[in-house]
Amino acid sequence: MLLLLWKRCILLLIFISSHASGSFVGINIGTDISNLPSASSIVSILKAQKIQHVRLFEADHQILAALRDTGIEVMVGVPNDQLLQIGESQSAAANWINQNIAAYVPGTNITYVAVGNEVLTSIPNAGLVLVPAMQFLHSALVAANLNSQIKVSSPQSMDLIPKSFPPSTATFNSSWNSVIYPFLQFLKNTGSSFMLNAQPYYGYIKGNGIFPIEYALFRSLNPDNQIVDPNTLLSYTNMFDAMVDASYYSMQALNFSGIPVTVTASGWPSSGGNDERDANIDNALVYNTNLIRHVLNNSGTPSQPKMAVDTYIHELFNEDLRPGPRSEKYWGLFFPNGTDVYSLDFANEASSSRTSPGLTGVFCIANSSADSRDLKKGLDWACGPGGANCSAIQSGQSCYEPNNIAAVASYAFNDYYHKTQASGGTCNFDNTAVTTSNDPSHGSCIFAGSTGSNSSSGKGSAFEPKSPGNGIARAQAFSSGYQALVMLLALFIL
């Protein structure tokens, strides 16, 4: 008994310290996959990516068992199809807690129960039992002496807020006030978070051009296109913050304050149908890289700058069994075989000096039909003001090809692209470059983005600069090796 109490005290201390240290980024784990990896494989991926917070949409017993003793914080979902039974029966709620929560703690670090998903907007007929279900589950946690470490809430959709901009005028759909008021009162009484699925991808698509895509992707806005709430004069540099603030203002409209917002799903699809051109791998990398950086910087939102916004990226795997448009199947960071769709760093993106990991399997190369003189101009810019790491194309190095301007330009173009793509860098170079999925690496010449390369990930490589540079301005002075290459190329071109 004393050992069990000691373990629970340790778990509570971990829970408190993790929330005192600032905001975190976790990930959703969906299972609508025809070849779902084993639970142990899933946990191996989480550990390799240093992911410390996960959300399960249902109480998958194999995954819960595999997470035992990992320290990873787990949010366990109650599926929508189980909501009616739990909301109408206190004994059913107690059984659910005993079978899916109490049976796994304290070994598995469960910290939240998420009751349903977007219940009020997706299955409104079940809306009336949402709060009773939450109350019954909380009572069961109290009976099991787990309520101090496991909270209860329910993820809601932005569709619950009919007009979310400007944020200061946002309110919940008034037809649901009879449910939302006791829902918020429950959160306030139990110290729980308001869970929000905030997806700027949908906000941008539904806006039909009202907002620039840069606003949705956390990219810098033109000074002439700043987005300001006319009532508060607060400036919004990204749609994510505006969505979160719309939730805060909607709660304030019902006289509730001090309830933190946890974003339970946010991401961007990496592929889509012919009519979903903004669902692509470039935008997915940009959005999620900038989202991680934004959240881990603990910058809060314009209206609540001191309120950390814990966020779960949607999602770990592409889910090929999900219904709906093609994009619904491609929100994942990984394929089921464990290879990454694109590379993210959950632990270190908060550092503004760090370069982006870049797109694994996507390369920026010189257009073979481009004029050699134009390629040389692009090469000079990439290795100079562009801040590309061009050490590998110097004399005697692995990618040195003095008589092949397209080859050396490709290396420089690709390195620049992988280092800057998340912050707005493109593969263009005055129309002399194109993207490709064919890996141009050869021999010991490894291009950034290759499965055998970490050259742009900040994790170390044979091609890292020997001396420090700021990655934007000219990398101090060109080495004599690069100058010699330029001269040789000039002779070749002329």
Side-chain angles (χ1 to χ4, degrees), residues 167-196:
S168 61
T169 62
T171 59
F172 295 119
N173 186 331
S174 59
S175 65
W176 283 111
N177 279 358
S178 61
V179 174
I180 294 174
Y181 188 88
F183 172 73
L184 296 177
Q185 191 64 63
F186 172 88
L187 300 182
K188 188 75 173 180
N189 292 344
T190 59
S192 301
S193 298
F194 179 86
M195 293 180 173
L196 175 71

Side-chain angles (χ1 to χ4, degrees), residues 203-463:
Y204 170 71
I205 297 300
K206 292 176 182 178
N208 292 318
I210 295 176
F211 298 107
I213 193 167
E214 290 80 8
Y215 178 60
L217 294 174
F218 293 90
R219 280 177 165 165
S220 299
L221 295 172
N222 186 303
D224 296 330
N225 293 330
Q226 296 301 303
I227 297 174
V228 177
D229 186 320
N231 302 303
T232 62
L233 299 183
L234 291 174
S235 178
Y236 285 85
T237 60
N238 62 83
M239 190 179 291
F240 177 87
D241 280 351
M243 288 179 164
V244 175
D245 267 356
S247 298
Y248 281 124
Y249 283 112
S250 295
M251 287 189 279
Q252 289 175 19
L254 293 176
N255 296 317
F256 286 92
S257 61
I259 299 175
V261 171
T262 294
V263 174
T264 40
S266 193
W268 200 281
S270 62
S271 183
N274 293 333
D275 59 342
E276 299 174 299
R277 59 187 178 87
D278 294 301
N280 58 64
I281 200 168
D282 281 17
N283 288 344
L285 171 72
V286 170
Y287 181 82
N288 283 326
T289 297
N290 288 336
L291 172 65
I292 293 173
R293 185 175 297 139
H294 181 70
V295 171
L296 295 187
N297 278 340
N298 297 313
S299 53
T301 64
S303 79
Q304 303 289 333
K306 296 182 179 179
M307 294 281 279
V309 184
D310 297 333
T311 301
Y312 293 80
I313 287 180
H314 188 71
E315 60 184 328
L316 189 63
F317 298 113
N318 285 333
E319 294 186 89
D320 62 316
L321 300 181
R322 284 185 63 85
R326 176 180 168 84
S327 60
E328 282 296 305
K329 306 175 189 294
Y330 290 95
W331 290 75
L333 307 185
F334 291 87
F335 296 105
N337 65 5
T339 60
D340 51 359
V341 178
Y342 52 90
S343 180
L344 291 178
D345 190 321
F346 281 74
N348 301 315
E349 279 297 347
S351 171
S352 60
S353 63
R354 187 181 176 276
T355 57
S356 166
L359 294 163
T360 300
V362 177
F363 307 92
C364 177
I365 62 171
N367 189 330
S368 58
S369 63
D371 185 88
S372 297
R373 291 173 178 81
D374 293 333
L375 289 177
K376 182 179 180 300
K377 289 179 182 177
L379 173 66
D380 289 343
W381 186 89
C383 295
N389 174 17
C390 296
S391 60
I393 56 175
Q394 295 177 23
S395 177
Q397 299 303 311
S398 56
C399 299
Y400 176 69
E401 295 187 51
N403 297 324
N404 191 340
I405 182 67
V408 293
S410 291
Y411 185 90
F413 291 174
N414 185 68
D415 194 84
Y416 166 82
Y417 179 61
H418 275 260
K419 285 183 174 179
T420 64
Q421 200 272 345
S423 58
T426 60
C427 180
N428 185 276
F429 295 94
D430 289 333
N431 298 315
T432 65
V434 294
T435 57
T436 179
S437 59
N438 295 323
D439 190 345
S441 303
H442 52 280
S444 59
C445 178
I446 307 299
F447 277 55
S450 170
T451 54
S453 169
N454 290 319
S455 63
S456 287
S457 70
K459 299 176 183 176
S461 150
F463 305 137

Side-chain angles (χ1 to χ4, degrees), residues 96-152:
W96 192 93
I97 290 295
N98 289 333
Q99 294 174 13
N100 301 303
I101 305 297
Y104 294 94
V105 296
T108 302
N109 189 10
I110 300 172
T111 57
Y112 252 105
V113 173
V115 185
N117 186 53
E118 302 185 351
V119 173
L120 300 183
T121 51
S122 62
I123 49 169
N125 291 338
L128 295 178
V129 301
L130 175 61
V131 175
M134 295 168 64
Q135 292 170 333
F136 288 158
L137 290 166
H138 175 72
S139 296
L141 289 171
V142 171
N145 198 28
L146 295 173
N147 59 298
S148 61
Q149 63 202 55
I150 302 174
K151 303 296 183 184
V152 177

